[in-house]
């Protein structure tokens, strides 16, 4: 948790025990894309007095400081993850059946960015890619229900 803590302190914000607990939950659950309510439930285990409003305020501070990202997968709930030190964000696969979210860690758009820059003189600094469909488990269940082996 050292890097997010240093970034938070560099913003001259007080790293309260509550904020440290929220950062810890985000770090321990990297890749899980948790909602504020899910983060609150996990933080409450170690800090029972922590309120949901504190979680929301802290998440906004983290997003504003680019320590965390707020993600929208079209399900009506914002989800959060710690920002990575990579040049671009990773991509997400969203199952429209069960709602699971997986990550693709390859930069699939590098060639497209190069073409955009060459043709338009536009420098891409970041991008977000979400692919919607069926995860392996849901796809197999759908095929089984239709009688496919």
């Amino acid at each position: 948790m050292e890097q997010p803590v240093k970034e938070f302190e560099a913003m001259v914000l007080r790293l309260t025990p509550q904020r440290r607990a929220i950062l810890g939950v985000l770090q321990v659950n990297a890749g899980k894309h948790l909602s504020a309510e899910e983060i609150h439930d996990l933080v409450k285990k170690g800090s029972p007095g922590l309120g949901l409003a504190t979680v929301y305020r802290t998440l906004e501070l983290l997003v504003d400081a680019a320590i965390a990202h707020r993600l929208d997968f079209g399900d009506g709930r914002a989800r959060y993850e710690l920002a990575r030190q990579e040049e671009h964000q990773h991509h997400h696969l969203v199952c429209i059946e069960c709602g699971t979210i997986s990550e693709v860690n390859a930069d699939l758009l590098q060639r497209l960015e190069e073409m955009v820059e060459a043709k338009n003189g536009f420098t891409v600094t970041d991008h977000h890619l979400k692919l919607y469909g069926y995860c392996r488990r849901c796809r197999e269940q759908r095929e089984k229900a239709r009688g496919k082996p």
Side-chain angles (χ1 to χ4, degrees), residues 3-149:
Q3 186 64 31
V5 168
K6 286 181 182 177
E7 291 173 6
F8 203 91
E9 289 172 339
M11 293 176 51
V12 193
L13 293 172
R14 212 174 86 223
L15 187 59
T16 64
Q18 295 89 350
R19 291 174 178 173
R20 183 179 292 277
I22 292 165
L23 277 169
V25 164
L26 286 171
Q27 194 160 36
V28 167
N29 292 282
K32 291 190 180 173
H33 311 98
L34 300 173
S35 68
E37 292 81 6
E38 291 167 327
I39 292 167
H40 179 247
D41 289 343
L42 292 169
V43 171
K44 275 188 356 185
K45 292 176 182 174
S47 304
L50 185 81
L52 183 57
T54 301
V55 172
Y56 274 109
R57 282 192 303 271
T58 300
L59 290 170
E60 288 306 310
L61 285 172
L62 294 173
V63 169
D64 290 346
I67 295 170
H69 294 293
R70 182 185 312 105
L71 305 166
D72 178 6
F73 294 112
D75 62 355
R77 296 186 338 171
R79 297 175 185 275
Y80 299 87
E81 67 181 1
L82 285 178
R84 299 179 181 188
Q85 299 303 315
E86 60 201 30
E87 187 174 324
H88 285 303
Q89 289 227 4
H90 50 280
H91 308 299
H92 295 97
L93 308 175
V94 182
C95 180
I96 58 176
E97 183 76 25
C98 68
T100 59
I101 302 164
S102 306
E103 295 181 353
V104 177
N105 289 314
D107 191 350
L108 305 173
L109 300 179
Q110 185 63 40
R111 186 160 180 255
L112 176 62
E113 288 180 13
E114 292 167 1
M115 290 172 27
V116 165
E117 186 164 348
K119 184 174 181 178
N120 302 310
F122 183 86
T123 300
V124 177
T125 60
D126 200 3
H127 61 258
H128 301 272
L129 177 65
K130 294 175 254 181
L131 300 171
Y132 295 88
Y134 298 100
C135 68
R136 178 175 284 124
R137 185 176 55 89
C138 290
R139 188 191 77 228
E140 289 171 355
Q141 287 176 351
R142 290 172 63 82
E143 289 172 357
K144 187 175 180 181
R146 286 186 280 179
K148 289 186 178 181

